[in-house]
Amino acid sequence: MSFSGFKDETAHQTIQNDGFFPDLSTLTLVEAYRVPPTFAVASLAVQLKLAMAWANRQLSGWKAQQKAEGYATLADVPADALGGESVLAVYYRAAVFNECRALLVQESKVLVRRADAANVATESPETEAAYHEQATKALADLLGICRVRVGLI
């Protein structure tokens, strides 16, 4: 047991990706993106896989271009580095983890709990939308396209 009252789970999983994009870990998601301990590792793994599938689908055309240019993995694509890591990998991870957080907000809404125990700040539609927006912005950064779009008024 931790001080939070939740069971400590050390059986975090690394989710194998498609060979081009990097594998991602539920432990990194929890530690770097402050995911609360209310989610079981198995649940985190499911949502992380869904978020990876979403990002991979969004980037499928770009990935095909990179492979056609001879780059076997995202790490092979020329890019600046931060802390010894390709910024493209940083953007990819941000996109996936933020999309995963949005999926977790959806999941937390359906957990059975007393109404007064609901945390409006972490379960609101605005919070979910903010995570989706951050994920989309990270993909735009990876693709090198403008983050700002003009909508129909």
Side-chain angles (χ1 to χ4, degrees):
M1 268 306 185
S2 70
F3 287 116
S4 68
F6 296 107
K7 184 178 134 191
D8 287 329
E9 291 194 55
T10 56
H12 289 280
Q13 295 180 24
T14 297
I15 308 300
Q16 186 176 1
N17 213 324
D18 65 357
F20 182 83
F21 294 110
D23 299 345
L24 296 176
S25 163
T26 58
L27 181 61
T28 305
L29 171 65
V30 168
E31 291 179 346
Y33 284 79
R34 299 178 51 205
V35 173
T38 54
F39 296 100
V41 172
S43 178
L44 289 175
V46 167
Q47 301 306 331
L48 184 54
K49 286 177 188 176
L50 290 170
M52 290 167 76
W54 169 82
N56 292 1
R57 187 178 66 247
Q58 301 302 313
L59 296 169
S60 63
W62 181 83
K63 173 184 152 185
Q65 287 178 316
Q66 302 312 308
K67 291 189 100 166
E69 292 179 24
Y71 304 115
T73 68
L74 182 64
D76 296 333
V77 178
D80 291 337
L82 294 172
E85 182 180 24
S86 164
V87 295
L88 298 177
V90 172
Y91 291 142
Y92 178 80
R93 189 173 51 251
V96 171
F97 285 170
N98 278 298
E99 183 64 19
C100 186
R101 289 171 78 190
L103 294 171
L104 290 169
V105 168
Q106 292 174 8
E107 184 174 314
S108 69
K109 289 178 188 177
V110 298
L111 293 175
V112 176
R113 66 178 86 182
R114 291 178 27 197
D116 59 346
N119 185 339
V120 176
T122 60
E123 297 177 10
S124 72
E126 293 81 13
T127 302
E128 182 181 341
Y131 289 141
H132 283 302
E133 182 180 355
Q134 290 175 15
T136 301
K137 285 179 178 180
L139 288 183
D141 289 341
L142 188 151
L143 295 170
I145 58 176
C146 182
R147 288 176 163 206
V148 178
R149 306 239 172 165
V150 177
L152 186 61
I153 298 176

